[in-house]
Structure formats: C-alpha cells, structure tokens
Amino acid sequence: MDARAACRTKPDIFFGGKDTSKEAIAICMGCPIWDECVIANMGEQWGVWGCSERARRRIRKLAAAGGTEVELLALAWESNVTHVGKSLDMVDRSVFVRSKSDAPLVS
C-alpha cells in the first residue's frame, strides 16, 4: 500500500460491503492519490478502490468506449459524490488538474 494513501488508516472498512462503503468512499475523496488509485484499480472486482464496485463497472465500460482519463475520473468522482451524498457544488474538482493524460486509455 502506498504510504500516501488515506485508506491505510482504516483498511478494513474498504472491504466491509454496503455497511462501510460510504465511510470508505468519503476517505477516498480526501486522498492525495485518489486519481492514481481509481485508474490503477479499475479492474478490481471487490471493495472500495477510489470508488464503488458499481462505479468501476461503469468506468470500465467508458474506458472500453474510448473514454479519457479525465472522463473516467469525472465519472468516478460524481459517483462518489452521489454515493456519499455531498452536493456537487461543494466538491473540489482540482483533482482533475492532476490527471496525467487526456488521451484515451483503451484504443
């Protein structure tokens, strides 16, 4: 696990199912490597890896359709906001500026 990862403080809640997913996703939303985690773990089937399992399925479909990294991260972030129940107006979108590439991930 990356030493910068916010999840290192409570790793058990990231695999606790629906009972802990809101707390886990809220932790992810404040993580300094959130964007790296989402992209690197798109293929994970279980647990919270920057977003919910359901969001990762949607991200994989978008990636297969040629979605850019920024589009994938936007989908993950908006899914997280909906899941946790925060207003999109309160969300810091500066995470998208950190994105390394706007090129499609899958050709």
Side-chain angles (χ1 to χ4, degrees):
M1 177 180 304
D2 191 306
R4 301 170 296 158
C7 58
R8 73 186 184 290
T9 61
K10 292 183 167 184
D12 295 346
I13 68 166
F14 291 83
F15 297 94
K18 289 186 180 195
D19 294 340
T20 61
S21 66
K22 279 188 180 187
E23 182 181 3
I25 289 172
I27 290 170
C28 287
M29 291 173 78
C31 183
I33 60 166
W34 171 82
D35 54 340
E36 295 172 35
C37 185
V38 169
I39 298 302
N41 296 295
M42 279 193 298
E44 290 292 336
Q45 298 295 317
W46 311 110
V48 173
W49 296 89
C51 58
S52 69
E53 296 163 16
R54 182 178 183 182
R56 281 194 308 280
R57 284 192 297 273
R58 293 176 57 210
I59 291 166
R60 286 191 296 270
K61 285 181 184 177
L62 180 58
T68 66
E69 187 173 304
V70 170
E71 290 170 328
L72 302 179
L73 292 172
L75 176 61
W77 191 263
E78 290 184 14
S79 173
N80 286 354
V81 169
T82 300
H83 191 82
V84 174
K86 290 186 178 182
S87 166
L88 282 173
D89 296 335
M90 298 169 52
V91 172
D92 175 9
R93 292 187 173 254
S94 64
V95 69
F96 301 123
V97 175
R98 295 192 322 239
S99 179
K100 290 149 192 73
S101 168
D102 198 24
L105 293 177
V106 177
S107 45

